[in-house]
């Protein structure tokens, strides 16, 4: 199989050498030539991966777009008509957009025909979709402000279709649509009497009664539900499998009600001990930063965090990245896709990540949610059918899969205003020394050197940062009355000496994102290079890392890590060593 990367990097294809060492030498000045440094072409060429890393070509999966990482077990896509309606109604009290009468009639007709078995395969409305849609309608009727409650058109459509739906839909959906028998004008005793099927659903149904009324749950209640019903089993209709409709209603319902701090903490900490490794692995490193990129990836712009981690490792700032291979709703480029594309082992366990963090040739690691939190990973298919992001989309970014003997920090990206403080709250709960939230491009962590448009959207601008630094040297979870320094700012890259430039577009192309990142680590100056330097240096400075008290010094050492070839060497070492770690 020919590597797909050869069609996307013509400048690199002109290299006419036969060994990794000779590739290295022709791109570096004599003073910086290293026999261990692997070139871009060698890394992305399956033959070279096989020869030098001991991998089979079939192990180095080379899709070109992020969408190809959608897992094979996702056999059925959501019904598009209902999914479009979910995008409008399965959201917050101010963001919800009521359906028009025409839209509502179309959606309810689709649901009725699906329930009658008249729609097949991808046209069928899934249980998770039914749960999310009817839970959203109920919460809107019970708890939302008047502008986002049911429209007159929605009410007319429901009056027309409910007499048919109540005779056709299963009892769990009827419960979600009218839990107290008070919403629909044609009353039903099913909702008020519903308790679920078996003991495994009783707690979930009890929690849903509170959620559907617009209420909130306690910390123990949320954790009790999650631990009882997860991991979600793929085999349907087994005696101990929870209703997908009820679980999807639970997940989106809490997000629609805007989670309390205690609910977010419950989601964040629920599966810390899932692997049974107590205590959590502790890496013997002086500093460790946990990077919480949005799990659903980037669809438009260059994603820099993987390359930033390689840079920071050069001066003993270890980084732990975590994420997934593919995640809805965006289904964009992720760190796991890039590492998989380049031939790295993406099945690293937390214990193996500890080894990579401690390895002097590497100093950073990536752990998939599949390995660290399999219960949460089991929800990916359901999350595609829910459409909108559940509470987990916030809390999964604030994880400590490996701890450190030295100082720890967490960095997380966000997009929607109002979630910056909850994220920082979770970081403080984790007991780290420093925390940082960044509104980068696409809600990811990558800050940009692009000038802000005069037509920029309302709310917090791109490059907004907020965080805290602990003034104590001991871990904050061991210290009473920790003194923290809080900060917030809008980063203007031009003030730090960066020339304004448009952000490189990748448009879901994994290979393009890798090409940009590796070329930058190879010393090629330009927008990608500047973004890696900007994000590495500013993270060091804002988190209070040693040697980065002066921001100009922080940028200089990031540039030195790249220009010396050290950062590229670190990334190449990761690809090689990750395949050999035991």
């Amino acid at each position: 199989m020919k590597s797909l990367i050869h069609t996307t990097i013509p400048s690199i294809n002109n290299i006419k050498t036969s060994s990794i060492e000779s590739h290295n030498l022709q791109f570096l000045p004599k003073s910086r030539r290293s026999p261990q440094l692997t070139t871009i072409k060698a890394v992305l060429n399956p033959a070279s991966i096989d020869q030098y890393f001991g991998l089979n070509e079939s192990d180095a999966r080379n899709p070109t777009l992020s969408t190809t990482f959608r897992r094979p077990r996702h056999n059925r896509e959501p019904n598009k008509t209902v999914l479009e309606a979910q995008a409008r109604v399965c959201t917050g009290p101010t963001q919800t957009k009521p359906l028009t009468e025409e839209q509502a009639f179309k959606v309810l007709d689709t649901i009725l025909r699906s329930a009658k078995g008249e729609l097949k395969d991808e046209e069928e409305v899934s249980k998770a979709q039914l749960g999310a849609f009817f839970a959203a309608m109920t919460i809107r009727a019970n708890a939302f402000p008047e502008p986002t409650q049911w429209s007159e058109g929605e009410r007319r459509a429901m009056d027309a279709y409910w007499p048919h739906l109540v005779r056709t839909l299963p009892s769990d959906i009827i419960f979600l649509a009218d839990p107290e028998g008070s919403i629909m004008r044609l009353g039903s005793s099913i909702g008020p009497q519903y308790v679920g099927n078996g003991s495994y659903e009783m707690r979930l149904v009890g929690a849903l009664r509170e959620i559907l009324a617009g209420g909130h749950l306690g910390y123990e209640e949320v954790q009790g539900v999650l631990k009882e019903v997860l991991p979600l089993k793929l085999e349907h209709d087994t005696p101990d499998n929870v209703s997908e409709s009820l679980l999807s209603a639970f997940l989106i319902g809490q997000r629609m009600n805007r989670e309390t701090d205690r609910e977010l903490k419950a989601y964040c900490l629920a599966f810390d001990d899932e692997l049974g490794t107590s205590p959590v692995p502790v890496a013997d490193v002086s500093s460790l930063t946990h990077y919480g990129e949005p799990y659903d990836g980037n669809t438009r712009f260059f994603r820099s965090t993987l390359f930033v981690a390689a840079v920071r490792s050069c001066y003993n700032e270890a980084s732990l990245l975590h994420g997934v291979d593919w995640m809805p709703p965006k289904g964009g480029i992720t760190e796991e896709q890039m590492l998989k594309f380049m031939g790295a082992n993406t099945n690293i366990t937390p214990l193996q990540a500890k080894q990579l963090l401690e390895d002097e040739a590497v100093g950073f690691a990536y752990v998939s949610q599949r390995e660290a939190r399999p219960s949460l990973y089991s929800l990916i298919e359901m999350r595609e059918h829910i459409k909108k992001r559940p509470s987990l989309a916030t809390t999964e970014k604030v994880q400590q899969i490996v701890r450190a003997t030295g100082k720890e920090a967490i960095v997380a990206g966000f997009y929607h205003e109002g979630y910056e403080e909850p994220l920082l709250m979770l970081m403080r709960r984790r007991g780290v020394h420093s925390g940082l939230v960044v509104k980068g491009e696409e809600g990811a962590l990558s800050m940009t050197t692009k000038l802000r448009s005069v037509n920029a959207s309302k709310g917090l601008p791109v490059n907004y940062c907020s965080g805290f630094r602990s003034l104590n040297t001991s871990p904050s979870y061991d210290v009473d009355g920790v003194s923290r320094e809080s900060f917030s700012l809008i980063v203007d890259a031009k003030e730090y000496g960066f020339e304004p430039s448009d952000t490189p577009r990748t448009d879901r192309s994994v290979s393009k994102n890798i090409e940009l990142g590796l070329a930058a680590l190879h010393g090629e100056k330009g927008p990608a290079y500047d973004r890696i330097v900007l994000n590495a240096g500013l993270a060091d400075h804002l988190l209070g890392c040693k040697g980065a008290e002066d921001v100009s010094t922080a940028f200089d050492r990031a540039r030195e890590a790249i220009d010396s070839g050290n950062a590229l060497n670190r990334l190449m070492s990761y690809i090689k060593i990750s395949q050999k770690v035991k």
Side-chain angles (χ1 to χ4, degrees), residues 172-198:
D172 56 345
I173 304 299
I174 296 173
F175 157 69
L176 293 172
D178 199 4
E180 304 302 328
S182 59
I183 297 177
M184 305 300 177
R185 290 171 179 164
L186 177 65
S188 170
S189 62
I190 295 177
Q193 296 177 4
Y194 188 75
V195 295
N197 296 319

Side-chain angles (χ1 to χ4, degrees), residues 300-365:
R300 293 177 292 160
F301 299 118
F302 175 59
R303 191 163 167 114
S304 67
T305 297
L306 174 61
F307 309 101
V308 168
V311 169
R312 297 180 76 239
S313 68
C314 298
Y315 40 82
N316 299 318
E317 290 295 338
S319 302
L320 181 63
L321 286 61
H322 52 93
V324 291
D325 45 357
W326 182 89
M327 177 70 78
K330 289 169 66 175
I333 298 168
T334 68
E335 285 69 34
E336 183 164 335
Q337 292 173 11
M338 289 187 278
L339 288 168
K340 182 73 173 177
F341 194 114
M342 291 188 287
N345 178 9
T346 55
N347 298 314
I348 295 294
T349 67
L351 280 171
Q352 292 171 327
K354 170 186 177 294
Q355 297 177 46
L356 290 165
L357 291 169
E358 295 173 340
D359 194 309
E360 293 183 357
V362 181
F364 69 96

Side-chain angles (χ1 to χ4, degrees), residues 61-247:
R61 189 181 181 193
N62 283 335
T64 189
L65 296 176
S66 63
T67 50
T68 62
F69 281 84
R70 187 174 180 269
R71 291 176 296 162
R73 75 177 181 85
H74 292 252
N75 293 321
R76 190 181 68 193
E77 294 186 0
N79 176 279
K80 290 181 173 55
T81 298
V82 178
L83 200 69
E84 290 173 2
Q86 290 170 247
R88 296 177 63 92
V89 304
C90 293
T91 185
T94 59
Q95 297 92 347
T96 286
K97 298 177 182 178
L99 303 176
T100 66
E101 184 169 344
E102 181 182 0
Q103 290 170 331
F105 267 89
K106 182 178 180 181
V107 168
L108 294 178
D109 182 68
T110 300
I111 290 173
L112 180 60
R113 289 193 294 130
S114 178
K116 288 181 175 181
E118 296 174 6
L119 303 181
K120 299 298 181 184
D121 301 326
E122 291 183 4
E123 292 185 350
E124 184 179 357
V125 183
S126 70
K127 295 178 181 178
Q129 284 189 276
L130 290 171
F133 175 77
F134 280 107
M137 296 294 286
T138 297
I139 290 172
R140 289 175 58 210
N142 285 337
F144 272 23
E146 186 175 349
T148 51
Q149 291 180 5
W150 290 15
S151 67
E152 287 299 319
E154 287 173 314
R155 170 56 70 184
R156 283 191 287 270
M158 194 66 78
D159 287 346
Y161 273 93
W162 186 247
H164 306 284
L165 290 169
V166 75
R167 295 195 298 267
T168 310
L169 294 172
S171 57
D172 56 345
I173 304 299
I174 296 173
F175 157 69
L176 293 172
D178 199 4
E180 304 302 328
S182 59
I183 297 177
M184 305 300 177
R185 290 171 179 164
L186 177 65
S188 170
S189 62
I190 295 177
Q193 296 177 4
Y194 188 75
V195 295
N197 296 319
S199 60
Y200 56 93
E201 283 187 358
M202 290 182 64
R203 187 198 296 262
L204 179 56
V205 170
L208 276 167
R209 290 195 181 276
E210 188 70 27
I211 292 169
L212 294 172
H216 295 281
L217 306 178
Y219 178 89
E220 292 79 10
E221 290 178 280
V222 175
Q223 287 214 339
V225 169
L226 293 174
K227 291 183 177 181
E228 197 164 83
V229 303
L230 296 179
L232 187 65
K233 297 177 178 60
L234 299 180
E235 299 80 12
H236 302 296
D237 301 322
T238 57
D240 59 346
N241 197 25
V242 70
S243 159
E244 291 184 27
S245 304
L246 297 178
L247 182 53

